[in-house]
Amino acid sequence: QVQLVESGGGSAQTGGSLRLSCATSGRTFSIYAMGWFRQAPGKDRDFVAAISISGRSTHYADSVKGRFTISRDNAANRVYLQMNSLQRDDTAVYYCIVGPNTGALRSGSAISWGQGTQVTVSS
C-alpha cells in the first residue's frame, strides 16, 4: 500500500498558523484522492479536509472551513494542509489519508493512513 509520512506539526498560538505536509512513497500518488483526519484525546477521528485526484475539488469540515486549505502537488507526491486562525479545538493528532475519491475519504474509508503528527494550539 501507499506509505504516508506527515510532517509540519508542532505548537502554535491561537490565531496562528501551521502547515502540514504529507509525503507519499512510490509514483502512484496521482491516482488517489487525499485527505486529512484528526483525533483529539478521548475523541474519535474526525474528517478535516479532502482533495480530489486532480486537485480541482476540495471538501472541508464545517469546523475548519474558511480557516484551513488543502492542496496537493502531484509532481512532488505531496499533499498539504495550511491551517490558519488556529483555535484550541484544533489540537489533535493529524493523519494523512488516501483513498479512491473524496467521498470515500469524507466517510472515513481510506486505503492508507499515515502515523500522524501532533498539533497543539495554546493561548
Side-chain angles (χ1 to χ4, degrees):
Q1 293 184 331
V2 176
Q3 301 297 311
L4 306 171
V5 180
E6 302 97 332
S7 62
S11 299
Q13 299 293 312
T14 56
S17 298
L18 286 172
R19 189 190 191 196
L20 305 184
S21 177
C22 175
T24 65
S25 63
R27 295 187 176 274
T28 59
F29 180 81
S30 62
I31 70 172
Y32 297 113
M34 304 291 297
W36 295 89
F37 263 63
R38 67 185 182 185
Q39 185 172 29
K43 298 183 179 179
D44 294 332
R45 291 185 182 184
D46 293 326
F47 169 76
V48 177
I51 187 167
S52 63
I53 295 171
S54 68
R56 297 181 63 184
S57 179
T58 58
H59 302 271
Y60 299 94
D62 289 342
S63 59
V64 307
K65 190 172 298 183
R67 301 187 299 117
F68 290 10
T69 302
I70 187 171
S71 61
R72 65 188 296 162
D73 184 342
N74 287 351
N77 295 338
R78 282 184 174 270
V79 63
Y80 305 94
L81 185 68
Q82 179 67 46
M83 304 183 293
N84 298 328
S85 302
L86 285 165
Q87 304 167 358
R88 279 187 172 272
D89 288 345
D90 295 322
T91 296
V93 175
Y94 285 71
Y95 298 90
C96 180
I97 56 174
V98 301
N101 52 63
T102 57
L105 296 180
R106 292 171 69 186
S107 66
S109 181
I111 296 172
S112 296
W113 293 73
Q115 294 299 307
T117 184
Q118 177 71 50
V119 170
T120 302
V121 184
S122 60
S123 300

